[in-house]
Amino acid sequence: MDSTDGVINLIHLADRPGTSGQSVSVRILGRYQPGILTGHDFLDCEIVINAESVNGNFAVTLLPEDLEDWEDSLATLESGRFAVWLVSGRTPSMKFEPDEGGGLWVSVHDGPSSGVTVKVPLFVSPTWVTEQRDLLDEARGAYPREVIETSPGAYEWGRARKA
């Protein structure tokens, strides 16, 4: 598992060794409201940008649907097209633009808060999409969905919780 101090990378895109060392990550810090039925499956995260001229962190709360949307975005990216993720307007959004030379441009736009947009060019490995799928699988394994909506507005634990 790609983690430090219990933090798991949902996304980690970094320059190949020997290049500028820039990176963009989405790090899962933990459950947003652990043990509280209606917030248990939300994930407390941060988008972290490390670039030559700017470093930034953006707080994000991810819903289970956001992980499904990321999986869909990876399928789009695998086909060589650009993808936008987290477009609900409640969080910063991310845009991923593969270029013809094997690079990737990643933009983070903090529309809901600061209005700042940061666009980072990365020289990623040729297997970067597969690597991101592996991180998604690890995140889902570490934070399985445990709450189900039995009817509109009614929730229950979907499986036995460990004490």
Side-chain angles (χ1 to χ4, degrees), residues 61-100:
T61 301
L62 296 180
L63 308 177
E65 302 84 59
D66 295 328
L67 298 183
E68 294 167 14
D69 291 345
W70 177 232
E71 185 172 29
D72 293 343
S73 294
L74 287 171
T76 300
L77 289 162
E78 189 170 46
S79 72
R81 296 176 290 154
F82 79 91
V84 181
W85 183 54
L86 298 176
V87 294
S88 68
R90 64 176 168 73
T91 68
S93 61
M94 299 182 74
K95 184 175 185 178
F96 305 87
E97 300 173 82
D99 70 25
E100 293 149 9

Side-chain angles (χ1 to χ4, degrees), residues 12-13 16 78 102 124-134:
H12 182 71
L13 297 164
R16 290 182 291 220
E78 189 170 46
V124 293
S125 77
T127 59
W128 70 271
V129 173
T130 300
E131 293 163 5
Q132 301 318 300
R133 271 206 180 90
D134 291 345

